[in-house]
Amino acid sequence: VTGLETIYVSVASYRDPECQLTVEDMFLRAEHPERMRVAIIDQRAENDSVPPCAVPEKPCMEDPSQVLCRFQHLIDRFEVPAFLSVGPVFARHLANRMY
């Protein structure tokens, strides 16, 4: 938001089953969630049973009231195949490049 303070949050997730809940919780707890920007590096395995980070459980057309739907315009997500992952430092580097 022009002229107002914002906060940038980067998330480096490696097949983390709690990532989706963490991102939702950030927006729910924020005093001004509209002033947040979130960058996510989601390192996932093919056919992973772990839900993708920052992807709502239902399609937004079906239930637009979901937290991740309401704030999707403030979230950037980059998916990396888990087998190409080289650790959290590189994932954090990628997230910082999204700044």
Side-chain angles (χ1 to χ4, degrees), residues 67-93:
V67 173
L68 295 175
C69 294
R70 293 192 337 251
F71 297 107
Q72 68 182 350
H73 64 288
L74 301 174
I75 302 170
D76 294 311
R77 181 177 161 271
F78 184 72
E79 190 168 311
V80 177
F83 73 91
L84 292 177
S85 176
V86 291
V89 173
F90 186 67
R92 289 184 191 119
H93 166 74

Short mmCIF file of all heavy atoms in Angstrom, two decimals, residues 67-93:
data_model
loop_
_atom_site.label_atom_id
_atom_site.label_comp_id
_atom_site.label_asym_id
_atom_site.label_seq_id
_atom_site.Cartn_x
_atom_site.Cartn_y
_atom_site.Cartn_z
N VAL A 67 -9.13 -17.95 3.84
CA VAL A 67 -8.08 -16.96 4.09
C VAL A 67 -7.13 -16.86 2.90
O VAL A 67 -6.80 -15.76 2.45
CB VAL A 67 -7.29 -17.32 5.37
CG1 VAL A 67 -6.08 -16.42 5.55
CG2 VAL A 67 -8.19 -17.26 6.58
N LEU A 68 -6.70 -18.00 2.37
CA LEU A 68 -5.74 -17.99 1.27
C LEU A 68 -6.35 -17.44 -0.02
O LEU A 68 -5.63 -16.95 -0.88
CB LEU A 68 -5.18 -19.39 1.04
CG LEU A 68 -4.34 -19.93 2.20
CD1 LEU A 68 -3.92 -21.37 1.93
CD2 LEU A 68 -3.13 -19.05 2.46
N CYS A 69 -7.64 -17.47 -0.14
CA CYS A 69 -8.31 -16.86 -1.30
C CYS A 69 -8.39 -15.35 -1.14
O CYS A 69 -8.14 -14.59 -2.07
CB CYS A 69 -9.71 -17.44 -1.49
SG CYS A 69 -9.71 -19.19 -1.92
N ARG A 70 -8.76 -14.92 0.06
CA ARG A 70 -8.91 -13.48 0.32
C ARG A 70 -7.60 -12.72 0.16
O ARG A 70 -7.58 -11.56 -0.22
CB ARG A 70 -9.48 -13.25 1.72
CG ARG A 70 -10.89 -13.73 1.88
CD ARG A 70 -11.59 -13.26 3.14
NE ARG A 70 -10.75 -12.87 4.26
CZ ARG A 70 -10.62 -13.56 5.39
NH1 ARG A 70 -11.25 -14.70 5.55
NH2 ARG A 70 -9.85 -13.12 6.36
N PHE A 71 -6.47 -13.39 0.45
CA PHE A 71 -5.18 -12.71 0.42
C PHE A 71 -4.24 -13.25 -0.66
O PHE A 71 -3.04 -12.96 -0.63
CB PHE A 71 -4.52 -12.78 1.80
CG PHE A 71 -5.32 -12.08 2.86
CD1 PHE A 71 -6.01 -12.80 3.81
CD2 PHE A 71 -5.39 -10.71 2.89
CE1 PHE A 71 -6.76 -12.17 4.79
CE2 PHE A 71 -6.14 -10.05 3.86
CZ PHE A 71 -6.83 -10.78 4.81
N GLN A 72 -4.76 -14.00 -1.61
CA GLN A 72 -3.89 -14.61 -2.62
C GLN A 72 -3.09 -13.59 -3.43
O GLN A 72 -2.00 -13.87 -3.90
CB GLN A 72 -4.68 -15.52 -3.55
CG GLN A 72 -5.65 -14.82 -4.46
CD GLN A 72 -6.44 -15.81 -5.31
OE1 GLN A 72 -6.15 -17.00 -5.35
NE2 GLN A 72 -7.44 -15.30 -6.00
N HIS A 73 -3.62 -12.39 -3.57
CA HIS A 73 -2.92 -11.34 -4.32
C HIS A 73 -1.68 -10.83 -3.57
O HIS A 73 -0.86 -10.11 -4.15
CB HIS A 73 -3.87 -10.19 -4.63
CG HIS A 73 -4.38 -9.47 -3.42
ND1 HIS A 73 -5.29 -10.03 -2.54
CD2 HIS A 73 -4.08 -8.24 -2.92
CE1 HIS A 73 -5.53 -9.16 -1.57
NE2 HIS A 73 -4.81 -8.08 -1.77
N LEU A 74 -1.51 -11.21 -2.32
CA LEU A 74 -0.37 -10.79 -1.51
C LEU A 74 0.66 -11.91 -1.34
O LEU A 74 1.65 -11.74 -0.63
CB LEU A 74 -0.84 -10.33 -0.13
CG LEU A 74 -1.83 -9.16 -0.13
CD1 LEU A 74 -2.35 -8.91 1.28
CD2 LEU A 74 -1.20 -7.92 -0.72
N ILE A 75 0.43 -13.04 -2.00
CA ILE A 75 1.28 -14.21 -1.84
C ILE A 75 1.91 -14.58 -3.18
O ILE A 75 1.21 -14.72 -4.19
CB ILE A 75 0.47 -15.42 -1.31
CG1 ILE A 75 -0.19 -15.09 0.02
CG2 ILE A 75 1.37 -16.65 -1.18
CD1 ILE A 75 -1.20 -16.13 0.48
N ASP A 76 3.23 -14.74 -3.18
CA ASP A 76 3.95 -15.26 -4.34
C ASP A 76 4.52 -16.61 -3.93
O ASP A 76 5.16 -16.72 -2.88
CB ASP A 76 5.07 -14.32 -4.77
CG ASP A 76 4.54 -13.00 -5.30
OD1 ASP A 76 3.64 -13.03 -6.15
OD2 ASP A 76 5.03 -11.94 -4.84
N ARG A 77 4.30 -17.61 -4.77
CA ARG A 77 4.74 -18.97 -4.43
C ARG A 77 5.54 -19.54 -5.60
O ARG A 77 5.11 -19.46 -6.75
CB ARG A 77 3.53 -19.84 -4.15
CG ARG A 77 3.85 -21.26 -3.78
CD ARG A 77 2.55 -22.03 -3.46
NE ARG A 77 2.78 -23.43 -3.54
CZ ARG A 77 2.65 -24.16 -4.65
NH1 ARG A 77 2.25 -23.62 -5.76
NH2 ARG A 77 2.90 -25.45 -4.62
N PHE A 78 6.70 -20.09 -5.29
CA PHE A 78 7.54 -20.72 -6.29
C PHE A 78 7.75 -22.16 -5.86
O PHE A 78 8.25 -22.41 -4.76
CB PHE A 78 8.88 -19.98 -6.40
CG PHE A 78 9.78 -20.50 -7.47
CD1 PHE A 78 9.50 -20.29 -8.81
CD2 PHE A 78 10.92 -21.21 -7.13
CE1 PHE A 78 10.34 -20.77 -9.80
CE2 PHE A 78 11.76 -21.70 -8.12
CZ PHE A 78 11.47 -21.48 -9.45
N GLU A 79 7.37 -23.09 -6.71
CA GLU A 79 7.50 -24.51 -6.37
C GLU A 79 8.80 -25.07 -6.95
O GLU A 79 9.11 -24.87 -8.12
CB GLU A 79 6.30 -25.29 -6.90
CG GLU A 79 6.24 -26.70 -6.38
CD GLU A 79 4.91 -27.37 -6.67
OE1 GLU A 79 3.86 -26.76 -6.40
OE2 GLU A 79 4.94 -28.51 -7.18
N VAL A 80 9.53 -25.79 -6.11
CA VAL A 80 10.79 -26.42 -6.49
C VAL A 80 10.66 -27.92 -6.25
O VAL A 80 10.23 -28.33 -5.16
CB VAL A 80 11.96 -25.86 -5.64
CG1 VAL A 80 13.27 -26.56 -5.97
CG2 VAL A 80 12.09 -24.36 -5.82
N PRO A 81 11.00 -28.76 -7.24
CA PRO A 81 10.99 -30.20 -6.98
C PRO A 81 11.94 -30.55 -5.83
O PRO A 81 13.08 -30.08 -5.80
CB PRO A 81 11.48 -30.81 -8.30
CG PRO A 81 11.24 -29.75 -9.33
CD PRO A 81 11.39 -28.44 -8.61
N ALA A 82 11.47 -31.33 -4.89
CA ALA A 82 12.26 -31.65 -3.70
C ALA A 82 13.61 -32.28 -4.04
O ALA A 82 14.60 -32.02 -3.35
CB ALA A 82 11.46 -32.58 -2.78
N PHE A 83 13.67 -33.06 -5.10
CA PHE A 83 14.93 -33.72 -5.43
C PHE A 83 15.99 -32.72 -5.91
O PHE A 83 17.18 -33.02 -5.90
CB PHE A 83 14.74 -34.85 -6.45
CG PHE A 83 14.47 -34.39 -7.86
CD1 PHE A 83 15.51 -34.19 -8.76
CD2 PHE A 83 13.17 -34.16 -8.28
CE1 PHE A 83 15.26 -33.77 -10.05
CE2 PHE A 83 12.91 -33.75 -9.57
CZ PHE A 83 13.96 -33.54 -10.46
N LEU A 84 15.57 -31.50 -6.27
CA LEU A 84 16.52 -30.46 -6.66
C LEU A 84 16.91 -29.56 -5.49
O LEU A 84 17.77 -28.70 -5.63
CB LEU A 84 15.93 -29.59 -7.78
CG LEU A 84 15.72 -30.26 -9.13
CD1 LEU A 84 15.05 -29.30 -10.09
CD2 LEU A 84 17.05 -30.76 -9.70
N SER A 85 16.28 -29.78 -4.36
CA SER A 85 16.54 -28.95 -3.20
C SER A 85 17.97 -29.14 -2.72
O SER A 85 18.48 -30.26 -2.68
CB SER A 85 15.56 -29.33 -2.09
OG SER A 85 15.86 -28.61 -0.94
N VAL A 86 18.60 -28.03 -2.36
CA VAL A 86 19.97 -28.10 -1.85
C VAL A 86 20.06 -27.50 -0.45
O VAL A 86 21.13 -27.10 -0.02
CB VAL A 86 20.97 -27.41 -2.81
CG1 VAL A 86 21.12 -28.20 -4.08
CG2 VAL A 86 20.57 -25.98 -3.09
N GLY A 87 18.93 -27.43 0.23
CA GLY A 87 18.93 -26.97 1.62
C GLY A 87 18.21 -25.65 1.82
O GLY A 87 17.83 -24.97 0.87
N PRO A 88 18.04 -25.29 3.09
CA PRO A 88 17.25 -24.10 3.41
C PRO A 88 17.92 -22.79 3.01
O PRO A 88 17.24 -21.81 2.72
CB PRO A 88 17.08 -24.19 4.93
CG PRO A 88 18.20 -25.02 5.39
CD PRO A 88 18.49 -25.99 4.28
N VAL A 89 19.24 -22.74 2.99
CA VAL A 89 19.92 -21.49 2.66
C VAL A 89 19.60 -21.07 1.22
O VAL A 89 19.28 -19.91 0.96
CB VAL A 89 21.45 -21.61 2.89
CG1 VAL A 89 22.17 -20.37 2.39
CG2 VAL A 89 21.74 -21.85 4.35
N PHE A 90 19.66 -22.02 0.30
CA PHE A 90 19.36 -21.68 -1.09
C PHE A 90 17.88 -21.31 -1.25
O PHE A 90 17.54 -20.38 -1.97
CB PHE A 90 19.73 -22.82 -2.04
CG PHE A 90 19.56 -22.45 -3.49
CD1 PHE A 90 20.36 -21.48 -4.06
CD2 PHE A 90 18.58 -23.04 -4.26
CE1 PHE A 90 20.20 -21.11 -5.39
CE2 PHE A 90 18.41 -22.68 -5.59
CZ PHE A 90 19.22 -21.72 -6.15
N ALA A 91 16.99 -22.02 -0.55
CA ALA A 91 15.56 -21.69 -0.62
C ALA A 91 15.32 -20.29 -0.08
O ALA A 91 14.54 -19.51 -0.65
CB ALA A 91 14.75 -22.72 0.16
N ARG A 92 15.99 -19.92 1.01
CA ARG A 92 15.85 -18.57 1.55
C ARG A 92 16.40 -17.53 0.57
O ARG A 92 15.87 -16.43 0.45
CB ARG A 92 16.56 -18.46 2.90
CG ARG A 92 15.83 -19.20 3.99
CD ARG A 92 16.50 -18.99 5.35
NE ARG A 92 15.94 -19.91 6.31
CZ ARG A 92 16.62 -20.84 6.95
NH1 ARG A 92 17.93 -20.95 6.76
NH2 ARG A 92 16.03 -21.64 7.81
N HIS A 93 17.47 -17.88 -0.11
CA HIS A 93 18.04 -16.99 -1.12
C HIS A 93 17.01 -16.73 -2.22
O HIS A 93 16.80 -15.59 -2.64
CB HIS A 93 19.31 -17.60 -1.71
CG HIS A 93 19.77 -16.94 -2.97
ND1 HIS A 93 20.36 -15.69 -2.98
CD2 HIS A 93 19.70 -17.35 -4.27
CE1 HIS A 93 20.63 -15.37 -4.24
NE2 HIS A 93 20.25 -16.35 -5.03
#
